[in-house]
Amino acid sequence: MPTPILNTKLYVPPPRPEVVFRPRLVELLNENLQRRLTLVSAPAGFGKTTLLGEWAAGCGRPVAWLSLDEEDSDPTRFLVYLVAALQTVAANIGEGVSGALQSPQPPPAESLLTALLNEVSSVEEDFVLVLDDYHVIDAGAVDDALTFLIEHLPPNMHLVVATREDPRLPLARLRARGQLAELRAADLRFTPSEAAEFLGGVMGLSLSEKDISALEARTEGWIAGLQLAALSMRSRADTAGFIESFTGSHRFVLDYLVEEVLQHQPERVQSFLMQTSILDRLSGPLCDALTGQEGGSRTLQALERSNLFVVPLDDRRRWYRYHHLFADVLQARMMEKRPDQAPALHRRASEWYEQEGLPEEAIRHALAAGDFGRAAALVERAVPAMRQSRQEITLLGWLRALPDELFHTRPVLSVGYAGALLLGGEIEGAHARLRDAERWLDTAANPARPEPPSAEMVVVDEEEFRRLPASIAVYRAASALARGDVPDTVKYALRALDLMAEDDHLGRGAAAGLLGLAYWASGDLESARRTYAGGMAHLQAAGNVSDAIGCAIALAVIRIAQGRLREAMRTYERGLQLAKEQGDPTMRGTADMHVGMSELYRERNDLDAATQHLLRSKEQGERAGLPQNPYRSRVATARIREAQGDLDGALELLHEAERLYVSDYHPNVRPISALKARMWIRQGRLGEALDWTRERGLSPNDDLSYLREFEHITLARVLITRYESGLTERSIHEALGLLDRLLEAAEEGERTGSVIEVLVLQALAHQARGDISMALAPLERALKLAEPEGYVRTFIDEGAPMARLLSEAAARGIAPDYTGKLLAAFEAEARRNGGELPLPASPASQPPIESLSRRELEVLRLLGTELSGPEIANELVVALSTVRTHTKSIYRKLGVKSRRAAVRRAAELGLI
Amino acid sequence: MKETHTSSGAHHEPGLYEVRIVGHLDSRWADGFEGLSFTHESDGTTSLYGPVVDQAALHGLLRRVRDLGLTLVSVTRVEPDQAEEADSEP
């Protein structure tokens, strides 16, 4: 279930008849539209929402509106609603972002926002986004997201934030850059003439100038105060007496006036107002459920007509809310007069919302009622949907609000809690919850258990209960994996698969993923491969294509280690195919497929194709990439640069990749630091390579494990190079000894990819000692294994010594076709590198660039023509300033400073 | 009277606070300002006085002041010895 969008949150409050038109403020808002942000910051009751509603109706631009509430402090929920609000302006905006938010591993907020901003910048019209009630947000993550949004705001969007307190945004910086406009209490308060117009013109009261200024002084221009005062006076004859006693009183304006207004309401209305004051949103049927009476809709409409502080939340007059201040006073009155009523009212609201199928509100009211049993039941049923829609923070908030002892008798809820805790890394807490749940399962399985729990077990979601033993096993496997306990991961994941129904595809996919990881980490590649392949099929069957694509990465990487390059390529291709069949060719993970394919093409020495796929990956956009894609794509680019002879550039990219590294639980079998050490070796920087072996604590006598295989092979390379630089004779013996053991381990683990590299190194080690015939034996084996899979770079990356060995092999008739091909590749490379000219910078060797928006691409194409700036603006029917903004953004993204450079770079990248 | 830095663990220790706001606030609001006593002063302000568990609770209290649109005059931490003196006075 995706987050249900409450449309009432997106409703732009229409101008109301009984308000003062405020041209000076409307003008101020209009004048500042070219800045990025307008901050409307003033206490409650200063007419912020009313003013913005009035302005929105006449500002001549489409306005997207989002009324925030406390739950929006959950960043996922905030983004979901942000997108929904933007969609009221441009219907198809952000669909990809919403999709990514629902995916099991959402990308970081910044990349989602970047994708969203790109789409925003392609909206044809200039528009406004209003975030109302921002003060309810209490989350640094949301503040950060908003800051990022403002810093990168496209020129066609203006943001308005209305709040009771200054938000945690870089206001000083925005102010200094002239990007911020502010409306504060001093601007918003009624001026004496506005007060006069309101009281006389709008409310139809005939008051003397003296009376008006007395009221203005007493309320200090506070609009809510003046409005209440006017309402009080309308319903009484003696306005003079009212003004005298009101201005003579020290009582808090709100207390005084609400009392006044309420006293003139019939008892029935007073009681309606108090009972319904506990609601955030009011509808007729909901109010009826609370009051036990009928006619709630009529009462609400009557309240709206008499301006009694209800605000409509839609055009159809179905939903209303009280003005926040009024609701506060009503609630305080109720707590004073009928304190015992509140829980019952909340319970009725909870029941009503439950019947309406709105579990979130039902849970909130159940918690407010202190009816934890009810809340627990509702939460238990809501867990699967909340998890699927990635609202774990909200879910955890509910779970933490429930008393601990409640979980002891509720195994399903307890396991749901464990799942939410595990995601937050709270392993200890999760275990306690799993143990609680298991007690009940043990009892169910073995009724004769000596100490049955004293209380009754409570299960709401029977289906989840039947699945519980399997769910518990999955969570135990996940926590074992997080601890790095491979045997336990395997044990629990196998148990889970054993317990799961054959058609529980999602469950089976998850368990298979964990099991595959465990096998992989322990070096049992064939089991890992089979498990992943099965898991991928289940995820596909469950319709979870994005995760199935994630599986494809693991599968392909394992295939490469097994030396099955062609299979690996097919796996990537199938991943892309799946996305295409799903109708979403830029689905998350597809960018990673292209990066993987690039690496395979590089190995085949088809550097053009490798470069093409890196470009494709970039063009797919950030949304199409998993969180690991930024570092993986840099590693792939580094390897291409290496092949082109640009070792410094390659190292630079590896440094970057190291900084961007994020784990995805896949065993880190090819650490970036080892890749850097290999680059140092090629550069002859032996000292740094040796330092690396010491830092990593590597020694030729180490026990070998698959997880450190890549590092140990790198160590063997360091040792050979050390011998070649004449430093020590011992090194070559150590290298050969280590390589022997590595070969044996790789053969045993059927890691043909590693076997080939180790054989190549053995050959090189023997050759370094001048023993050509000893060198040719392992080389022949390597060639035999590598030929069917089309390996090239594994050989030619080794440079001149390998070229000499291959010629020797060719002379002796070893694998003549293959050695011929490899030697030709050597020659081609030597020709390219041998000339005086430096290598031409190929497009892919540049660092990845931020993708350009559709609009920017249009501008870019016109930059390639003879048209002048104003002519381009004409052509695109936009303002010249808009063209300039796009141009600046294009320059930044392409890393250039002039039009000519931008066009040249764009041509290199194939953008025009 | 420049003796600051006297109470080091102030962040997580309960303290006595006096919060002063403009206007005479009805005692029905006591629910939102748990445990604080309301005194209507002759200058038209209300003084809310009492123990506040920690800084987080204090900020919650100030948020309540904000949400009611009340005008804040001062927030004062009352040192215990001062409080005793005040208490001992009839």
Side-chain angles (χ1 to χ4, degrees), chain A residues 264-280:
Chain A
H264 290 92
Q265 297 300 321
E267 177 57 36
R268 197 185 55 78
V269 173
Q270 286 199 33
S271 143
F272 177 92
L273 290 171
M274 262 198 278
Q275 288 181 312
T276 55
S277 69
I278 61 149
L279 297 169
D280 294 339

PDB file of all heavy atoms in Angstrom, chain A residues 264-280:
ATOM      1  N   HIS A 264     -22.017  33.161  23.547  1.00  0.00           N
ATOM      2  CA  HIS A 264     -23.157  33.543  22.736  1.00  0.00           C
ATOM      3  C   HIS A 264     -23.608  32.415  21.812  1.00  0.00           C
ATOM      4  O   HIS A 264     -24.476  32.613  20.979  1.00  0.00           O
ATOM      5  CB  HIS A 264     -22.834  34.806  21.919  1.00  0.00           C
ATOM      6  CG  HIS A 264     -22.737  36.006  22.783  1.00  0.00           C
ATOM      7  ND1 HIS A 264     -21.560  36.449  23.328  1.00  0.00           N
ATOM      8  CD2 HIS A 264     -23.700  36.843  23.249  1.00  0.00           C
ATOM      9  CE1 HIS A 264     -21.794  37.508  24.070  1.00  0.00           C
ATOM     10  NE2 HIS A 264     -23.081  37.767  24.055  1.00  0.00           N
ATOM     11  N   GLN A 265     -22.974  31.260  21.944  1.00  0.00           N
ATOM     12  CA  GLN A 265     -23.401  30.125  21.134  1.00  0.00           C
ATOM     13  C   GLN A 265     -24.369  29.270  21.935  1.00  0.00           C
ATOM     14  O   GLN A 265     -24.260  29.168  23.156  1.00  0.00           O
ATOM     15  CB  GLN A 265     -22.188  29.261  20.740  1.00  0.00           C
ATOM     16  CG  GLN A 265     -21.183  29.971  19.875  1.00  0.00           C
ATOM     17  CD  GLN A 265     -21.784  30.438  18.571  1.00  0.00           C
ATOM     18  OE1 GLN A 265     -22.581  29.741  17.967  1.00  0.00           O
ATOM     19  NE2 GLN A 265     -21.438  31.648  18.165  1.00  0.00           N
ATOM     20  N   PRO A 266     -25.325  28.643  21.219  1.00  0.00           N
ATOM     21  CA  PRO A 266     -26.227  27.732  21.946  1.00  0.00           C
ATOM     22  C   PRO A 266     -25.435  26.576  22.563  1.00  0.00           C
ATOM     23  O   PRO A 266     -24.358  26.206  22.067  1.00  0.00           O
ATOM     24  CB  PRO A 266     -27.171  27.214  20.859  1.00  0.00           C
ATOM     25  CG  PRO A 266     -26.739  27.825  19.578  1.00  0.00           C
ATOM     26  CD  PRO A 266     -25.620  28.755  19.806  1.00  0.00           C
ATOM     27  N   GLU A 267     -25.980  26.015  23.603  1.00  0.00           N
ATOM     28  CA  GLU A 267     -25.328  24.936  24.338  1.00  0.00           C
ATOM     29  C   GLU A 267     -24.910  23.792  23.399  1.00  0.00           C
ATOM     30  O   GLU A 267     -23.829  23.233  23.499  1.00  0.00           O
ATOM     31  CB  GLU A 267     -26.301  24.432  25.413  1.00  0.00           C
ATOM     32  CG  GLU A 267     -25.804  23.244  26.239  1.00  0.00           C
ATOM     33  CD  GLU A 267     -24.470  23.522  26.935  1.00  0.00           C
ATOM     34  OE1 GLU A 267     -24.261  24.681  27.369  1.00  0.00           O
ATOM     35  OE2 GLU A 267     -23.626  22.605  27.009  1.00  0.00           O
ATOM     36  N   ARG A 268     -25.801  23.490  22.433  1.00  0.00           N
ATOM     37  CA  ARG A 268     -25.542  22.384  21.509  1.00  0.00           C
ATOM     38  C   ARG A 268     -24.254  22.627  20.715  1.00  0.00           C
ATOM     39  O   ARG A 268     -23.428  21.738  20.559  1.00  0.00           O
ATOM     40  CB  ARG A 268     -26.733  22.267  20.545  1.00  0.00           C
ATOM     41  CG  ARG A 268     -26.827  20.956  19.791  1.00  0.00           C
ATOM     42  CD  ARG A 268     -27.984  21.022  18.790  1.00  0.00           C
ATOM     43  NE  ARG A 268     -27.860  22.170  17.884  1.00  0.00           N
ATOM     44  CZ  ARG A 268     -27.027  22.198  16.830  1.00  0.00           C
ATOM     45  NH1 ARG A 268     -26.273  21.169  16.559  1.00  0.00           N
ATOM     46  NH2 ARG A 268     -26.966  23.272  16.051  1.00  0.00           N
ATOM     47  N   VAL A 269     -24.096  23.872  20.250  1.00  0.00           N
ATOM     48  CA  VAL A 269     -22.907  24.201  19.460  1.00  0.00           C
ATOM     49  C   VAL A 269     -21.653  24.178  20.337  1.00  0.00           C
ATOM     50  O   VAL A 269     -20.610  23.661  19.950  1.00  0.00           O
ATOM     51  CB  VAL A 269     -23.076  25.576  18.786  1.00  0.00           C
ATOM     52  CG1 VAL A 269     -21.784  26.004  18.103  1.00  0.00           C
ATOM     53  CG2 VAL A 269     -24.220  25.546  17.795  1.00  0.00           C
ATOM     54  N   GLN A 270     -21.792  24.730  21.549  1.00  0.00           N
ATOM     55  CA  GLN A 270     -20.637  24.732  22.464  1.00  0.00           C
ATOM     56  C   GLN A 270     -20.134  23.316  22.697  1.00  0.00           C
ATOM     57  O   GLN A 270     -18.941  23.052  22.681  1.00  0.00           O
ATOM     58  CB  GLN A 270     -21.043  25.346  23.804  1.00  0.00           C
ATOM     59  CG  GLN A 270     -21.208  26.836  23.748  1.00  0.00           C
ATOM     60  CD  GLN A 270     -21.147  27.449  25.141  1.00  0.00           C
ATOM     61  OE1 GLN A 270     -20.441  26.954  26.008  1.00  0.00           O
ATOM     62  NE2 GLN A 270     -21.884  28.521  25.335  1.00  0.00           N
ATOM     63  N   SER A 271     -21.091  22.425  22.908  1.00  0.00           N
ATOM     64  CA  SER A 271     -20.698  21.050  23.211  1.00  0.00           C
ATOM     65  C   SER A 271     -20.098  20.392  21.955  1.00  0.00           C
ATOM     66  O   SER A 271     -19.117  19.644  22.044  1.00  0.00           O
ATOM     67  CB  SER A 271     -21.916  20.324  23.761  1.00  0.00           C
ATOM     68  OG  SER A 271     -21.953  19.021  23.328  1.00  0.00           O
ATOM     69  N   PHE A 272     -20.653  20.705  20.786  1.00  0.00           N
ATOM     70  CA  PHE A 272     -20.098  20.190  19.521  1.00  0.00           C
ATOM     71  C   PHE A 272     -18.644  20.642  19.352  1.00  0.00           C
ATOM     72  O   PHE A 272     -17.747  19.862  19.050  1.00  0.00           O
ATOM     73  CB  PHE A 272     -20.949  20.714  18.350  1.00  0.00           C
ATOM     74  CG  PHE A 272     -20.439  20.306  16.988  1.00  0.00           C
ATOM     75  CD1 PHE A 272     -20.901  19.149  16.374  1.00  0.00           C
ATOM     76  CD2 PHE A 272     -19.487  21.078  16.321  1.00  0.00           C
ATOM     77  CE1 PHE A 272     -20.441  18.770  15.112  1.00  0.00           C
ATOM     78  CE2 PHE A 272     -19.016  20.700  15.066  1.00  0.00           C
ATOM     79  CZ  PHE A 272     -19.494  19.548  14.476  1.00  0.00           C
ATOM     80  N   LEU A 273     -18.425  21.932  19.597  1.00  0.00           N
ATOM     81  CA  LEU A 273     -17.083  22.489  19.407  1.00  0.00           C
ATOM     82  C   LEU A 273     -16.080  21.811  20.333  1.00  0.00           C
ATOM     83  O   LEU A 273     -14.979  21.447  19.927  1.00  0.00           O
ATOM     84  CB  LEU A 273     -17.096  23.999  19.678  1.00  0.00           C
ATOM     85  CG  LEU A 273     -17.825  24.856  18.641  1.00  0.00           C
ATOM     86  CD1 LEU A 273     -17.966  26.281  19.128  1.00  0.00           C
ATOM     87  CD2 LEU A 273     -17.084  24.820  17.314  1.00  0.00           C
ATOM     88  N   MET A 274     -16.491  21.621  21.576  1.00  0.00           N
ATOM     89  CA  MET A 274     -15.547  21.039  22.529  1.00  0.00           C
ATOM     90  C   MET A 274     -15.231  19.590  22.183  1.00  0.00           C
ATOM     91  O   MET A 274     -14.088  19.178  22.183  1.00  0.00           O
ATOM     92  CB  MET A 274     -16.121  21.146  23.931  1.00  0.00           C
ATOM     93  CG  MET A 274     -15.565  22.351  24.664  1.00  0.00           C
ATOM     94  SD  MET A 274     -15.813  22.188  26.389  1.00  0.00           S
ATOM     95  CE  MET A 274     -17.489  22.743  26.509  1.00  0.00           C
ATOM     96  N   GLN A 275     -16.304  18.839  21.888  1.00  0.00           N
ATOM     97  CA  GLN A 275     -16.072  17.412  21.619  1.00  0.00           C
ATOM     98  C   GLN A 275     -15.214  17.204  20.375  1.00  0.00           C
ATOM     99  O   GLN A 275     -14.372  16.314  20.329  1.00  0.00           O
ATOM    100  CB  GLN A 275     -17.417  16.709  21.449  1.00  0.00           C
ATOM    101  CG  GLN A 275     -18.158  16.559  22.754  1.00  0.00           C
ATOM    102  CD  GLN A 275     -19.470  15.831  22.550  1.00  0.00           C
ATOM    103  OE1 GLN A 275     -20.252  16.149  21.662  1.00  0.00           O
ATOM    104  NE2 GLN A 275     -19.705  14.835  23.383  1.00  0.00           N
ATOM    105  N   THR A 276     -15.438  18.029  19.370  1.00  0.00           N
ATOM    106  CA  THR A 276     -14.720  17.794  18.114  1.00  0.00           C
ATOM    107  C   THR A 276     -13.346  18.483  18.098  1.00  0.00           C
ATOM    108  O   THR A 276     -12.610  18.358  17.127  1.00  0.00           O
ATOM    109  CB  THR A 276     -15.535  18.297  16.910  1.00  0.00           C
ATOM    110  OG1 THR A 276     -15.857  19.668  17.133  1.00  0.00           O
ATOM    111  CG2 THR A 276     -16.820  17.508  16.749  1.00  0.00           C
ATOM    112  N   SER A 277     -13.026  19.205  19.191  1.00  0.00           N
ATOM    113  CA  SER A 277     -11.750  19.938  19.192  1.00  0.00           C
ATOM    114  C   SER A 277     -10.544  18.996  19.197  1.00  0.00           C
ATOM    115  O   SER A 277      -9.423  19.411  18.911  1.00  0.00           O
ATOM    116  CB  SER A 277     -11.670  20.859  20.399  1.00  0.00           C
ATOM    117  OG  SER A 277     -11.561  20.094  21.583  1.00  0.00           O
ATOM    118  N   ILE A 278     -10.778  17.717  19.504  1.00  0.00           N
ATOM    119  CA  ILE A 278      -9.648  16.784  19.533  1.00  0.00           C
ATOM    120  C   ILE A 278      -9.234  16.357  18.127  1.00  0.00           C
ATOM    121  O   ILE A 278      -8.244  15.653  17.958  1.00  0.00           O
ATOM    122  CB  ILE A 278      -9.981  15.511  20.342  1.00  0.00           C
ATOM    123  CG1 ILE A 278     -11.156  14.784  19.687  1.00  0.00           C
ATOM    124  CG2 ILE A 278     -10.290  15.845  21.788  1.00  0.00           C
ATOM    125  CD1 ILE A 278     -11.091  13.302  19.868  1.00  0.00           C
ATOM    126  N   LEU A 279      -9.997  16.764  17.104  1.00  0.00           N
ATOM    127  CA  LEU A 279      -9.719  16.283  15.745  1.00  0.00           C
ATOM    128  C   LEU A 279      -8.801  17.240  14.991  1.00  0.00           C
ATOM    129  O   LEU A 279      -8.948  18.447  15.092  1.00  0.00           O
ATOM    130  CB  LEU A 279     -11.040  16.142  14.973  1.00  0.00           C
ATOM    131  CG  LEU A 279     -12.037  15.125  15.532  1.00  0.00           C
ATOM    132  CD1 LEU A 279     -13.377  15.278  14.839  1.00  0.00           C
ATOM    133  CD2 LEU A 279     -11.504  13.708  15.374  1.00  0.00           C
ATOM    134  N   ASP A 280      -7.883  16.672  14.227  1.00  0.00           N
ATOM    135  CA  ASP A 280      -7.052  17.500  13.348  1.00  0.00           C
ATOM    136  C   ASP A 280      -7.839  17.910  12.118  1.00  0.00           C
ATOM    137  O   ASP A 280      -7.609  18.966  11.550  1.00  0.00           O
ATOM    138  CB  ASP A 280      -5.824  16.717  12.864  1.00  0.00           C
ATOM    139  CG  ASP A 280      -4.899  16.411  14.005  1.00  0.00           C
ATOM    140  OD1 ASP A 280      -4.993  17.115  15.026  1.00  0.00           O
ATOM    141  OD2 ASP A 280      -4.097  15.467  13.884  1.00  0.00           O
TER     142      ASP A 280
END
